[in-house]
Amino acid sequence: MTTEMFLSFHGLLLPKEIHDPESLKFAQDFRFKDNDALAVTYPKSGTIWMQEILPLVLNGGDLTPVQTIANWDRVPWLEEKRLALVVDQLPNPRAMVTHLPYHLMPPSLQTSRAKVIYVMRNPKDVLVSSYYFHQMAAFLQDPGTFGEFMNTFLEGKVLFGKWTDHVKSWRHTELGDRILYLTYEEMVEDLPAALRRLSVFLGRNLSEEVIQKIAEHCSFRNMKANPMSNFSLVPNEYMDSKKSPFLRKGLAGDWKNHFSSEQLAKFSSVIKKELENEDFCLPWSL
Ligand code: A3P
């Protein structure tokens, strides 16, 4: 990564287009409220999906915010410049997202009763999604070949560092029952079931009719058609959807179309090694 395009924040490289020292300070000083909901993802794990889902679960299925407010203002990133501009307009309860690791959370996450939803995705599909994202986003470096980008990813020289560090950091929190772990794959497999878990966690008693309405609205097809969620509001020179759309395939298992057997062996062995002393199980084989 070139230093002109990125800033370093506690060892994490972040694009200057989106973050600056003020926005990162704003995040560090942020005061969470007891009824806030924060979705945490490593990039390319379902962040904008949560930006669609959270307002609907919190407001009982009212489509107005997801049809009228761009995803980045509707459920802003804690660490991005936009937050300071929109924070006062967020509804109550508020929803936000972050890619930051747990140890960079502001102290108020711990002292408040805010709730956290950690969404994890198979890292092989994260790598593939990220590879295409690097091709379409002008604020990221050219990924090179898939094999080259795999090495960059495994070395953690990508946005928000190593996937394994991110997952580990959010598995070792003091949040107790204030954190819910969801997987991208379970959302693909059975979105209504994931929405039921989420709504119970957030203390929302949603009827089956509302769950089905939210699931329908948050389908890949519908989100791809929603200009407030598909990044079509972003100029092409910044994100070129002709190179690869942001909502690209929305599948679990697309990695099978990209990895050679050698790449798979290398990827699996690195990830397994980095997680070998962990006491949690991944829901997929590596
Ligand atoms: P693909 O590139 O594999 O299609 P993030 O929002 O964290 O950047 O993650 C982007 C990934 O989530 C993309 O994956 C995108 O298509 C997928 N995604 C977003 N909304 C989705 C939905 N409703 N259903 C399935 N996948 C979705």
Side-chain angles (χ1 to χ4, degrees):
M1 297 207 191
T2 56
T3 45
E4 316 85 68
M5 287 168 77
F6 295 90
L7 57 84
S8 174
F9 181 59
H10 296 271
L12 300 177
L13 291 170
L14 308 178
K16 288 181 184 168
E17 287 274 351
I18 302 175
H19 313 271
D20 61 17
E22 289 73 37
S23 73
L24 295 166
K25 171 96 175 70
F26 194 82
Q28 295 293 272
D29 296 341
F30 192 76
R31 304 287 290 266
F32 278 100
K33 296 183 188 167
D34 286 343
N35 61 353
D36 283 342
L38 177 70
V40 183
T41 54
Y42 184 83
K44 313 319 288 177
S45 302
T47 324
I48 66 155
W49 208 354
M50 293 308 288
Q51 289 173 324
E52 202 86 354
I53 288 172
L54 279 178
L56 295 173
V57 169
L58 290 170
N59 74 15
D62 175 4
L63 296 178
T64 314
V66 293
Q67 290 175 334
T68 57
I69 308 172
N71 61 298
W72 52 83
D73 283 349
R74 182 199 315 141
V75 181
W77 271 267
L78 180 65
E79 60 275 17
E80 291 193 0
K81 295 178 194 173
R82 294 291 305 174
L83 179 63
L85 303 176
V86 297
V87 69
D88 292 335
Q89 286 123 56
L90 294 177
N92 183 24
R94 308 182 296 185
M96 283 154 283
V97 289
T98 186
H99 293 317
L100 289 172
Y102 180 63
H103 64 272
L104 295 182
M105 281 298 104
S108 65
L109 184 66
Q110 194 45 251
T111 53
S112 72
R113 296 294 305 156
K115 290 195 173 164
V116 173
I117 305 101
Y118 187 85
V119 183
M120 180 169 67
R121 186 180 191 186
N122 187 324
K124 290 180 279 195
D125 282 331
V126 170
L127 169 64
V128 171
S129 182
S130 186
Y131 176 62
Y132 287 99
F133 186 51
H134 275 68
Q135 294 177 12
M136 64 92 78
F139 54 90
L140 297 176
Q141 85 276 31
D142 183 299
T145 65
F146 183 71
E148 286 163 351
F149 187 64
M150 190 177 99
N151 292 335
T152 312
F153 181 89
L154 289 175
E155 287 161 15
K157 293 181 182 158
V158 285
L159 297 183
F160 294 93
K162 281 189 182 180
W163 181 85
T164 47
D165 286 343
H166 199 272
V167 170
K168 283 191 267 190
S169 92
W170 283 98
R171 285 282 166 172
H172 301 289
T173 73
E174 294 84 42
L175 296 171
D177 62 1
R178 288 198 287 125
I179 183 163
L180 173 76
Y181 295 98
L182 287 178
T183 64
Y184 177 92
E185 289 73 19
E186 72 176 288
M187 289 161 63
V188 169
E189 168 91 19
D190 187 346
L191 186 55
L195 293 173
R196 279 180 219 114
R197 283 185 71 202
L198 180 61
S199 62
V200 169
F201 175 69
L202 293 175
R204 292 291 181 281
N205 188 13
L206 301 182
S207 68
E208 194 50 31
E209 189 188 347
V210 171
I211 292 281
Q212 294 299 335
K213 177 183 174 186
I214 297 174
E216 170 62 15
H217 179 82
C218 296
S219 69
F220 182 76
R221 180 176 40 90
N222 282 340
M223 279 183 59
K224 206 172 161 74
N226 181 358
M228 292 297 147
S229 307
N230 63 15
F231 287 88
S232 57
L233 297 175
V234 175
N236 261 354
E237 58 270 26
Y238 194 66
M239 279 188 178
D240 190 347
S241 60
K242 286 195 217 75
K243 290 186 181 157
S244 179
F246 191 100
L247 283 127
R248 191 184 58 90
K249 283 196 180 174
L251 299 175
D254 189 35
W255 64 268
K256 292 176 192 144
N257 300 315
H258 293 80
F259 280 66
S260 68
S261 51
E262 293 76 26
Q263 287 167 342
L264 180 58
K266 177 174 180 186
F267 189 89
S268 302
S269 99
V270 172
I271 302 280
K272 273 185 192 154
K273 177 128 196 50
E274 291 181 1
L275 295 180
E276 70 186 351
N277 295 322
E278 293 301 312
D279 58 1
F280 62 89
C281 295
L282 296 178
W284 344 267
S285 58
L286 283 168

